[in-house]
């Protein structure tokens, strides 16, 4: 019989207990840091984001902080401030659009070499082992990479316009971030420009 550790009662009842605790400890500091660059919008809260695979997102007028926001060890505190600034910018400046995805014939993007290296290092191969604790095979690496750069669904062009504007402003406003996050947002800016061009044609 496998040994099962005695988990805290709060964790059993709420799988986001750790995230809620982290937000409670950091929210005030994050808001004050963002206010060095822009006033904090009235009534906007930092909340735990459930079932989300990004760092943070805007949902129902508030900012959801997702699990990887704190768990991604490549992010510095300044990176995290930049991420929240980005979401505040969305709240203040986004053009409204319907968030309805449209399925399209698969289109494979062609990232520049520096972004391919970043994708391979941080998005495709975060570990030398797969979920079965076996060494990663070349075909698994290629499949994972192609999955990341292949577009199967597209959103309206305005969505990508909003992202392009937000990333451009963030990069101009908060410059002293880690090399990891600097490359990440440059990649996301490039990606959203490519998706915008596809959306103009296909949506």
């Amino acid at each position: 019989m496998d040994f099962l550790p005695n988990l805290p009662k709060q964790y059993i009842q709420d799988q986001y207990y750790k995230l809620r605790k982290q937000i409670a400890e950091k929210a005030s500091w994050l808001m004050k840091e963002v206010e060095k660059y822009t006033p904090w919008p009235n009534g906007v809260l930092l909340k735990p984001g459930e079932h989300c695979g990004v760092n943070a997102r805007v949902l129902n007028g508030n900012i959801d902080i997702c699990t990887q926001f704190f768990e991604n060890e490549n992010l510095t505190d300044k990176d995290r401030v930049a991420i929240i600034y980005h979401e505040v910018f969305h709240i203040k400046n986004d053009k409204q659009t319907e968030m309805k995805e449209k399925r399209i014939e698969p289109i494979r993007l062609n990232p520049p070499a520096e972004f391919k290296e970043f994708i391979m290092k941080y998005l495709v191969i975060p570990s030398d082992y797969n979920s079965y604790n076996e060494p990663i095979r070349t075909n698994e690496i290629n499949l994972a990479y192609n999955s990341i750069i292949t577009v199967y669904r597209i959103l309206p062009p305005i969505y990508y316009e909003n992202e392009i504007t937000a990333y451009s402003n963030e990069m101009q406003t908060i410059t002293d971030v880690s090399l990891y996050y600097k490359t990440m947002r440059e990649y996301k800016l490039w990606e959203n420009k490519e998706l915008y061009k596809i959306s103009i044609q296909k949506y």
Side-chain angles (χ1 to χ4, degrees):
M1 181 177 179
D2 292 335
F3 171 73
L4 297 176
N6 293 320
L7 297 174
K9 184 177 180 181
Q10 298 98 319
Y11 187 86
I12 296 172
Q13 294 174 341
D14 179 5
Q15 62 178 311
Y16 297 103
Y17 171 75
K18 181 180 177 182
L19 178 59
R20 294 178 196 280
K21 188 172 183 290
Q22 289 169 318
I23 293 172
E25 292 171 351
K26 284 283 192 176
S28 178
W29 179 83
L30 284 166
M31 293 166 72
K32 287 178 181 177
E33 289 297 307
V34 169
E35 284 185 322
K36 293 178 180 178
Y37 304 96
T38 186
W40 190 265
N42 290 334
V44 172
L45 303 175
L46 295 177
K47 304 180 70 175
E50 300 181 1
H51 309 294
C52 60
V54 294
N55 288 309
R57 65 185 180 188
V58 175
L59 186 66
N60 299 324
N62 293 306
I63 297 173
D64 277 3
I65 292 180
C66 306
T67 303
Q68 71 180 39
F69 181 83
F70 291 113
E71 292 191 351
N72 185 346
E73 295 179 355
N74 295 303
L75 293 174
T76 66
D77 278 346
K78 195 53 176 285
D79 298 343
R80 295 183 177 97
V81 171
I83 289 166
I84 300 301
Y85 172 89
H86 180 104
E87 301 307 323
V88 168
F89 187 90
H90 276 307
I91 289 173
K92 292 183 173 184
N93 298 280
D94 271 7
K95 300 175 183 177
Q96 296 303 307
T97 186
E98 184 181 13
M99 294 287 289
K100 185 176 181 181
E101 283 188 326
K102 180 179 179 181
R103 187 182 293 274
I104 62 173
E105 288 294 317
I107 297 174
R108 187 172 296 178
L109 303 179
N110 185 26
E114 65 269 25
F115 296 148
K116 179 175 182 178
E117 182 180 344
F118 178 85
I119 294 167
M120 294 294 287
K121 183 175 182 179
Y122 292 106
L123 306 183
V124 172
I125 324 176
S127 169
D128 292 329
Y129 297 90
N130 61 23
S131 58
Y132 301 102
N133 203 33
E134 299 169 341
I136 294 286
R137 300 184 180 92
T138 301
N139 67 318
E140 291 177 309
I141 294 172
N142 292 334
L143 283 171
Y145 177 75
N146 288 332
S147 176
I148 289 171
I149 66 168
T150 303
V151 183
Y152 301 94
R153 296 178 179 83
I154 204 76
L155 287 162
I158 291 176
Y159 171 83
Y160 301 108
E161 285 184 35
N162 289 335
E163 288 295 341
I164 291 165
T165 303
Y167 274 114
S168 298
N169 180 274
E170 177 198 337
M171 291 164 69
Q172 292 169 3
T173 304
I174 305 182
T175 57
D176 52 338
V177 297
S178 68
L179 178 60
Y180 164 81
Y181 185 63
K182 178 179 181 291
T183 309
M184 168 65 85
R185 63 187 185 183
E186 287 173 351
Y187 163 62
K188 296 303 291 184
L189 178 60
W190 172 85
E191 180 187 48
N192 277 285
K193 287 180 177 179
E194 295 299 301
L195 295 175
Y196 173 76
K197 289 186 283 189
I198 294 171
S199 181
I200 288 291
Q201 297 175 349
K202 303 290 185 180
Y203 195 83

